[in-house]
Amino acid sequence: MFYISMFFQYVAQYMKTRLEYRADLIVEIFSDLLFQAVNLIFILVVFDHTEFLNGWSRDEIIFIYGFFLVPFALFSSFFNIWDFNERYIVKGELDRILTRPIHSLFQIILERMELESLFGAVTGLAVMFYAGSRLGLEVSWTDPLLFVVFVLGGVLVYAGIFVMIACISFWADARTSIMPMMYNIGNYGRYPVDIYNNVIRFVLTWILPFAFVGVYPAAYFLGRDEWYGYSFLTPVIGLVFFSLSVFIWNEGVKRYRGAGN
Amino acid sequence: MDKYIEMIRIRFLMMLAYRTNYYTGILIYSINIGAYYFLWNAIYGGKSEIEGLSAVQMTTYVAVAWMARAFYFNNIDREMATEIKEGKVAVELIRPYSYLGMKTMQGLGEGIFRLFFFSVPGMVIVALLFPMEFSADAATWGFFAISIVLSFFINTQLNLLTGITTFFLYNNTGLIRAKRVLIDLFSGLLLPISFFPGWAQEFMRFLPFQGISYIPSMIFTNGFTGSQAVEGLMLQAVWVLILVIPIQVLWVIAKKQLIIQGG
């Protein structure tokens, strides 16, 4: 209960700070839309030159992208921890966090929220419905439920990976430029993983399981039954990775000794 | 002049101190390029060429575009935004150097570091893993070298422009992000400009972005040769000159209405 009321207090505070710089807020929402558009343009331009991508049609690829945007939007809103090392370790902000009676990771999530990224989920749904209607996909009553479960699984996968990367800071005392680059890798989960060779497919499935954020769950809605097994693994992988990351985080916090001064 | 060279040196050494995480960076860049390799192979799907580039040329294009990015890419816009927001810029302005010149040199120090510790070793690894085509022609390498220096300047000038806007907008994280996304698309990093539909190419011809990634990568893959390459370099040089104007104008106005928001 305490955590929930804390959450809403932070949201209220967040709104106030955001509305202070209104022009920037609008630009930021616009820049998110732009980012989503760029990826869509990539797909559209590519399909100007080819009919199928290893047997997947343009609309199927667009559908996968639309699905991907939803968990990605939730992830970017609540797990905006890419500058964790600089902000919390190097500048010693973590000291302040640790003196408070809420779980440290939860508190950092609250502090770094970027709620305007949630607009991405709206775009994602729109893209999905557009592609879905062109493909003539039928919606059954279980689909919305499964959709929610798969989206949450995807968010946990993303969150787990990025929390683990943030944890590196507890052990290695260096600035990490890994996170921004990891965003690029995350994009590959949006494409049918059977176009990659087995090594990359293995990495995207079991090591950096980004495929569970896009193509595997989307395959279920596209009726690609050969991948249903993977689709239903999505929440499992999400829970496993996220639990693991929280465990590593707790271990890391125990090791943390604070910055110089 | 000495002090600017000193800036490059200091930034280079600073980067050197944190070099360990660059090794993982090379690995991640390689995976990134590798994934593009398979994506493009699927796109080619047996076609021998698309828009004048063969599949091998395309892989080379992607690899070079990303490795060149390590050289021209820098975060000086974000650094400027922080310095302006925190009020540190006031101190910078009374120091005996040009603030913008100093930022450019810091970016250059960073770029030189990444070129030697990131791009070159990364390129070797990627070339071992994926089929690529390197030109044996010295002129191509010469043109490419000039071209990426010019890319650095165009990109840095755009960063300076974005950085200066902090004076007017106070908080411009959104703008910085939008600029980055636009550059990735319009510079030809994600897709060669020749792949776009005609009307879009026509539009992009009038923008400075293609000078950042498309021109150097095309020169390197021999997509541009001879007079086309020279034309590309000229275009880049013209943009470097043109961009000086808005930077100077905005800088003069910015200094006049400087508001320190704290610090």
Side-chain angles (χ1 to χ4, degrees):
Chain A
M1 264 334 277
F2 177 58
Y3 276 64
I4 295 170
S5 91
M6 212 62 209
F7 173 74
F8 284 107
Q9 282 180 25
Y10 263 98
V11 170
Q13 205 58 35
Y14 179 82
M15 296 295 200
K16 279 187 232 161
T17 53
R18 264 304 130 132
L19 292 173
E20 192 61 32
Y21 297 102
R22 227 159 290 184
D24 185 61
L25 179 65
I26 292 165
V27 178
E28 215 151 295
I29 293 169
F30 170 75
S31 82
D32 275 353
L33 279 175
L34 199 67
F35 176 73
Q36 290 141 20
V38 163
N39 291 316
L40 206 54
I41 291 171
F42 182 87
I43 297 171
L44 294 177
V45 171
V46 159
F47 276 96
D48 254 0
H49 301 278
T50 182
E51 274 289 294
F52 289 99
L53 207 61
N54 214 18
W56 298 73
S57 72
R58 191 189 83 144
D59 290 323
E60 283 177 310
I61 304 275
I62 292 177
F63 183 89
I64 299 173
Y65 179 54
F67 177 88
F68 161 86
L69 282 177
V70 181
F72 185 73
L74 285 163
F75 160 77
S76 339
S77 311
F78 296 109
F79 291 89
N80 184 22
I81 51 172
W82 57 272
D83 57 354
F84 170 72
N85 183 279
E86 271 163 60
R87 266 190 101 87
Y88 291 92
I89 303 280
V90 178
K91 288 192 181 161
E93 294 260 310
L94 196 66
D95 295 351
R96 174 174 57 80
I97 303 282
L98 291 177
T99 56
R100 295 180 184 168
I102 323 177
H103 190 265
S104 47
L105 180 59
F106 183 66
Q107 204 177 324
I108 287 170
I109 289 169
L110 289 181
E111 282 190 6
R112 306 297 298 144
M113 264 189 312
E114 276 212 6
L115 293 177
E116 63 271 22
S117 302
L118 286 175
F119 278 96
V122 180
T123 341
L125 286 170
V127 170
M128 256 174 80
F129 277 108
Y130 162 79
S133 68
R134 284 176 58 109
L135 288 164
L137 295 184
E138 305 222 337
V139 185
S140 80
W141 68 272
T142 49
D143 284 353
L145 287 173
L146 281 171
F147 179 75
V148 171
V149 172
F150 288 168
V151 164
L152 290 178
V155 176
L156 291 179
V157 166
Y158 246 105
I161 293 174
F162 279 85
V163 169
M164 281 190 231
I165 295 172
C167 287
I168 296 176
S169 318
F170 291 121
W171 279 271
D173 202 29
R175 277 188 352 192
T176 53
S177 49
I178 304 175
M179 277 222 204
M181 292 188 230
M182 202 54 93
Y183 276 94
N184 295 321
I185 307 284
N187 283 337
Y188 297 108
R190 298 187 338 231
Y191 295 102
V193 282
D194 51 355
I195 65 169
Y196 304 123
N197 82 341
N198 289 331
V199 178
I200 293 190
R201 185 171 175 186
F202 184 83
V203 170
L204 287 174
T205 307
W206 304 114
I207 300 178
L208 301 167
F210 289 118
F212 287 101
V213 188
V215 64
Y216 285 148
Y220 171 79
F221 300 108
L222 289 171
R224 294 262 174 169
D225 43 14
E226 71 273 24
W227 283 5
Y228 278 9
Y230 287 112
S231 310
F232 287 105
L233 260 182
T234 307
V236 179
I237 296 277
L239 283 173
V240 168
F241 266 75
F242 189 67
S243 315
L244 190 65
S245 77
V246 173
F247 173 75
I248 298 176
W249 176 275
N250 289 337
E251 287 302 307
V253 168
K254 277 186 214 154
R255 278 183 55 101
Y256 174 75
R257 286 201 201 86
N261 48 6
Chain B
M1 201 56 215
D2 281 358
K3 55 194 173 203
Y4 292 106
I5 293 173
E6 190 59 17
M7 293 289 172
I8 302 181
R9 200 178 73 90
I10 292 175
R11 190 46 85 94
F12 184 90
L13 292 177
M14 233 169 87
M15 302 292 287
L16 199 62
Y18 292 115
R19 66 186 170 280
T20 37
N21 73 77
Y22 274 87
Y23 302 134
T24 38
I26 293 171
L27 184 75
I28 294 174
Y29 251 54
S30 307
I31 300 177
N32 188 24
I33 291 169
Y36 264 115
Y37 167 78
F38 293 108
L39 181 59
W40 279 107
N41 267 7
I43 293 165
Y44 271 78
K47 284 194 202 72
S48 63
E49 64 155 62
I50 299 179
E51 302 296 335
L53 287 178
S54 70
V56 175
Q57 272 180 313
M58 192 63 220
T59 321
T60 317
Y61 180 98
V62 170
V64 169
W66 281 92
M67 292 301 176
R69 183 176 184 267
F71 173 69
Y72 68 69
F73 185 86
N74 53 52
N75 280 321
I76 59 173
D77 46 358
R78 207 143 53 90
E79 284 174 28
M80 281 175 76
T82 318
E83 281 170 6
I84 294 166
K85 265 191 274 185
E86 290 179 355
K88 284 186 191 149
V89 73
V91 185
E92 293 291 337
L93 288 178
I94 54 172
R95 289 195 172 143
Y97 47 61
S98 135
Y99 178 68
L100 298 181
M102 182 209 45
K103 279 281 151 221
T104 311
M105 292 302 138
Q106 287 180 342
L108 191 58
E110 229 177 286
I112 294 172
F113 171 84
R114 288 213 204 91
L115 185 68
F116 288 111
F117 286 86
F118 195 109
S119 302
V120 173
M123 205 60 194
V124 171
I125 292 173
V126 172
L128 290 174
L129 293 173
F130 306 106
M132 269 192 264
E133 234 171 34
F134 294 106
S135 172
D137 185 14
T140 307
W141 285 89
F143 283 149
F144 176 68
I146 302 171
S147 188
I148 60 165
V149 172
L150 292 170
S151 327
F152 167 80
F153 280 107
I154 297 176
N155 187 54
T156 304
Q157 285 175 315
L158 293 173
N159 280 352
L160 291 176
L161 265 181
T162 329
I164 296 174
T165 59
T166 318
F167 282 108
F168 309 101
L169 302 172
Y170 309 126
N171 189 358
N172 60 353
T173 27
L175 190 69
I176 290 175
R177 206 155 48 174
K179 184 215 66 183
R180 193 165 303 165
V181 174
L182 277 181
I183 287 184
D184 283 353
L185 179 69
F186 289 144
S187 69
L189 173 73
L190 300 175
L191 278 163
I193 288 172
S194 54
F195 277 55
F196 283 92
W199 59 267
Q201 287 187 37
E202 205 53 44
F203 169 67
M204 281 187 249
R205 276 210 315 186
F206 296 101
L207 299 173
F209 304 114
Q210 55 176 310
I212 296 174
S213 192
Y214 182 60
I215 295 175
S217 307
M218 284 306 266
I219 290 178
F220 193 88
T221 50
N222 281 326
F224 282 173
T225 43
S227 62
Q228 247 182 323
V230 175
E231 227 171 86
L233 292 181
M234 297 282 279
L235 191 81
Q236 284 183 296
V238 168
W239 272 110
V240 172
L241 293 177
I242 294 176
L243 285 170
V244 170
I245 301 165
I247 292 175
Q248 287 306 329
V249 171
L250 276 183
W251 184 238
V252 170
I253 304 172
K255 277 199 290 192
K256 273 191 198 141
Q257 67 130 53
L258 170 66
I259 297 173
I260 302 293
Q261 294 185 76

